[in-house]
């Protein structure tokens, strides 16, 4: 069948002399793998630049409704023109992080328009916001966890506690430290709660230094490792740290 859909590029790898194989999270059918031919040629109608991480594209593909099948792209064009991410090293690094995280977490081969809309909103804001972007990757992690089914929720009875810890294994807040080492201390937990309660437009207002961001990022990635089956360590945090400090 011929599938017409918007899609978000999570990953693309070169295949053969001119082709590319790409993982696209599509609006209509969820995550699928596509092959596009004659991409890396001077006169290609499907330039390789369209397959950069977190590019939003509009494509027509020959689609087979078989799990794990490789589908062939017939036509593709940009659905959202990005003016910041491709030209700003910091925005580009955050987009790389988002793409790698999504590739590790999102595996559903079926429509999920709420998740697709969430990702579109995140990409659009990262691309155009005039505000500092140092907290965006942390905000993204925390709010992506809602779609994964394990977003932290603060119980009402803990809202006025003097100290609050976050238990990474249980995915819950507690007034006392757990009897294991997988938890977040009260200061970082308070920052985490601020990010959870903030909107994408205001997350830059949460006060954190680079050491605190690095520590919370490490803790949240451990949280994902504990709750996403098959989740393994990702590489882009090192890139993020390098470019954010440059």
């Amino acid at each position: 069948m011929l599938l017409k859909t918007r899609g978000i590029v999570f990953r693309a790898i070169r295949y053969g002399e001119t082709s590319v194989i790409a993982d696209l999270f599509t609006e209509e059918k969820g995550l699928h793998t596509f092959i596009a031919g004659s991409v890396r040629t001077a006169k290609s109608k499907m330039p390789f630049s369209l397959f950069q991480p977190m590019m939003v594209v509009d494509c027509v593909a020959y689609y087979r409704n078989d799990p794990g099948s490789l589908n062939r792209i017939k036509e593709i064009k940009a659905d959202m023109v990005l003016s910041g991410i491709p030209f700003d090293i910091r925005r580009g690094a955050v987009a790389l992080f988002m793409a790698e995280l999504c590739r590790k977490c999102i595996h559903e081969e079926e429509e999920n328009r709420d998740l697709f809309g969430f990702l579109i909103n995140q990409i659009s804001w990262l691309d155009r916001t005039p505000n500092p972007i140092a907290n965006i990757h942390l905000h993204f992690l925390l709010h992506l966890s809602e779609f994964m089914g394990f977003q932290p929720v603060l119980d009402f009875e803990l809202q006025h506690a003097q100290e609050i810890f976050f238990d990474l294994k249980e995915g819950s807040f507690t007034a006392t430290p757990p009897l294991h080492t997988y938890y977040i201390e009260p200061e970082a937990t308070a920052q985490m709660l601020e990010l959870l309660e903030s909107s994408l437009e205001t997350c830059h207002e949460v006060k954190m230094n680079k050491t605190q961001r690095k520590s919370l990022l490490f803790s949240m990635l451990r949280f994902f490792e504990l709750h996403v089956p098959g989740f393994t360590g990702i590489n882009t945090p090192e890139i993020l740290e390098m470019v954010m400090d440059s």
Side-chain angles (χ1 to χ4, degrees):
M1 63 174 284
L2 208 57
L3 173 67
K4 298 181 180 181
T5 184
R6 289 194 298 167
I8 301 169
V9 178
F10 285 171
R11 177 179 64 168
I13 57 175
R14 299 172 186 236
Y15 179 74
E17 293 186 2
T18 62
S19 299
V20 65
I21 294 177
D23 294 331
L24 268 63
F25 183 65
T26 69
E27 188 172 22
E28 301 292 334
K29 298 291 183 180
L31 181 66
H32 288 279
T33 302
F34 297 83
I35 185 169
S38 301
V39 170
R40 302 186 339 262
T41 60
K43 297 181 179 180
S44 174
K45 294 181 179 179
M46 298 188 288
F48 187 62
S49 59
L50 292 175
F51 294 91
Q52 301 307 305
M54 300 310 272
M55 281 291 293
V56 184
V57 296
D58 192 357
C59 69
V60 179
Y62 300 106
Y63 173 76
R64 293 185 294 169
N65 193 22
D66 298 321
S69 62
L70 186 63
N71 307 283
R72 180 170 291 275
I73 292 176
K74 180 177 183 287
E75 302 171 13
I76 192 169
K77 63 181 181 180
D79 181 76
M80 180 189 298
V81 178
L82 302 179
S83 59
I85 292 172
F87 309 106
D88 184 320
I89 189 171
R90 291 175 175 84
R91 293 175 202 259
V94 175
L96 278 173
F97 171 79
M98 289 178 172
E100 187 178 15
L101 184 66
C102 286
R103 186 166 55 84
K104 299 281 187 177
C105 294
I106 301 171
H107 306 293
E108 54 194 300
E109 296 182 348
E110 58 187 30
E111 173 190 326
N112 188 334
R113 291 182 184 270
D114 289 341
L115 176 55
F116 188 87
F118 166 77
L119 295 176
I120 290 290
N121 188 48
Q122 296 282 323
I123 297 165
S124 176
W125 182 253
L126 172 63
D127 187 65
R128 63 185 173 82
T129 178
N131 298 326
I133 63 169
N135 291 341
I136 283 185
H137 62 297
L138 295 172
H139 188 273
F140 178 75
L141 260 171
L142 286 165
H143 289 268
L144 180 64
S145 68
E146 177 182 359
F147 295 92
M148 301 296 101
F150 53 84
Q151 187 179 54
V153 177
L154 181 64
D155 294 334
F156 178 77
E157 58 267 22
L158 287 175
Q159 290 183 355
H160 301 292
Q162 288 187 338
E163 288 190 330
I164 301 175
F165 299 81
F166 182 66
D167 187 327
L168 294 168
K169 291 180 71 174
E170 297 298 324
S172 61
F173 297 95
T174 174
T176 56
L179 298 176
H180 54 75
T181 59
Y182 295 108
Y183 66 89
I184 301 178
E185 295 284 356
E187 181 182 9
T189 298
Q191 293 168 334
M192 173 182 163
L193 283 168
E194 279 192 76
L195 286 167
L196 270 171
E197 294 167 0
S198 69
S199 65
L200 184 55
E201 292 77 12
T202 62
C203 68
H204 67 282
E205 297 174 1
V206 178
K207 302 299 182 184
M208 303 178 70
N209 59 41
K210 64 181 182 181
T211 301
Q212 291 169 328
R213 288 190 189 97
K214 181 178 179 180
S215 177
L216 184 56
L217 175 60
F218 175 83
S219 296
M220 292 312 303
L221 289 175
R222 178 59 57 85
F223 179 51
F224 271 65
E225 286 177 7
L226 292 168
H227 294 274
V228 177
F231 188 95
T232 55
I234 62 178
N235 301 315
T236 44
E238 296 181 2
I239 300 173
L240 268 177
E241 183 180 2
M242 181 174 63
V243 302
M244 290 298 185
D245 290 346
S246 62

